């Protein structure tokens, strides 16, 4: 079993829909990242969380340390949001453990 | 703007050849990392370095080698001993003392075997 599990693996949506991607982890963590990977492969860090909730534009990330669960929400989704979203955790060290990613496609 | 530069973006290798992937950062980060991504799998740690002239094996180091002669550079060599080198390779860096929010990633190198 992976230490970091994401769901769903694939997600399609119509433009404007509210989207939720979930991440569960089974280890004690120091921090959790939500990352975005576009088709070219480059990865951008969207959020780093250690508690609570963060918002940036149409993106919201939450984390529940007790339940070992985090969610990434996208409001008013747009085709340019199409990408792979990856959850990654710092497992009490400086190194990261990655989830397998959620492939999101938003259609006009 | 500071960041990580990986080159080349695409690389093709003949079987039996060693090939070196470049990773340079101008963020003054002490720690640097190499990860490998295969289809349907999460990124996995190959090697990491927390200080110049020192590095440690990650989870899948076999068939790879690294060096850290300068703080800003952490090249990865894929040797002929790596039996399945076709993958996406990602370099990352971190200022450990400043916290996890300093985590940065490169744009990656996609390696293919001819």
């Amino acid at each position: 079993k992976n230490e970091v599990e994401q769901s769903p693996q694939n997600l399609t949506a119509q433009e404007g829909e509210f989207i939720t991607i979930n991440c569960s982890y089974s280890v004690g963590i120091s921090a959790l990242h939500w990352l975005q990977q576009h088709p070219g492969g480059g990865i951008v860090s969207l959020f780093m969380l250690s508690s609570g909730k963060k918002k940036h534009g149409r993106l919201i990330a939450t984390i529940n340390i007790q339940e070992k669960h985090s969610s990434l929400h996208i409001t008013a989704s747009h085709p340019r949001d199409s990408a792979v979203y990856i959850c990654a955790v710092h497992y009490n060290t400086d190194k990261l453990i990655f989830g397998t990613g959620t492939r999101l496609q938003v259609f006009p | 703007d500071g960041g990580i530069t990986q080159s080349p973006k695409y690389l093709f290798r003949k079987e039996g050849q060693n090939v070196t992937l470049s990773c340079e950062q101008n963020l003054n980060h002490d720690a640097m990392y190499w990860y490998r991504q295969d289809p349907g799998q999460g990124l996995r740690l190959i090697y990491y370095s927390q200080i110049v002239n020192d590095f440690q094996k990650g989870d899948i180091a076999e068939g790879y080698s690294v060096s850290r002669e300068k703080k800003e550079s952490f090249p990865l060599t894929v040797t002929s001993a790596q039996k399945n080198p076709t993958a996406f390779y990602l370099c990352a860096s971190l200022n450990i003392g400043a916290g996890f929010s300093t985590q940065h990633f490169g744009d990656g190198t996609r390696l293919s075997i001819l």
Side-chain angles (χ1 to χ4, degrees), chain B:
Chain B
D1 275 347
I4 297 176
T5 300
Q6 287 189 244
S7 61
K9 192 171 178 65
Y10 299 96
L11 189 56
F12 299 92
R13 188 192 98 168
K14 292 182 181 178
E15 286 203 44
Q17 277 185 339
N18 291 356
V19 63
T20 297
L21 283 59
S22 170
C23 177
E24 304 276 332
Q25 54 101 356
N26 61 3
L27 299 159
N28 200 33
H29 285 179
D30 30 291
M32 297 185 74
Y33 312 82
W34 275 105
Y35 295 96
R36 169 181 169 140
Q37 186 180 43
D38 293 283
Q41 295 192 40
L43 287 138
R44 293 177 291 167
L45 182 64
I46 306 172
Y47 266 99
Y48 66 101
S49 168
Q50 295 173 325
I51 194 170
V52 174
N53 292 324
D54 187 51
F55 47 83
Q56 307 294 329
K57 292 182 179 180
D59 301 317
I60 54 167
E62 186 174 349
Y64 300 98
S65 66
V66 293
S67 63
R68 188 85 186 276
E69 296 177 1
K70 298 184 296 182
K71 189 175 186 178
E72 59 269 26
S73 179
F74 191 42
L76 173 74
T77 297
V78 184
T79 74
S80 56
Q82 171 49 240
K83 296 307 178 191
N84 186 20
T86 296
F88 178 77
Y89 292 88
L90 186 71
C91 181
S93 72
L94 178 70
N95 184 341
I96 296 175
F100 299 119
S101 62
T102 63
Q103 184 79 62
H104 273 69
F105 300 93
D107 287 334
T109 293
R110 194 166 296 278
L111 175 63
S112 300
I113 298 301
L114 295 177

Side-chain angles (χ1 to χ4, degrees), chain A residues 73-106:
Chain A
H73 306 285
I74 305 175
T75 62
S77 59
H78 189 277
R80 65 174 173 265
D81 296 325
S82 298
V84 176
Y85 292 84
I86 300 171
C87 172
V89 301
H90 283 284
Y91 172 25
N92 296 328
T93 71
D94 56 297
K95 298 174 289 297
L96 286 165
I97 303 174
F98 294 81
T100 54
T102 295
R103 184 174 301 276
L104 170 66
Q105 289 184 293
V106 182

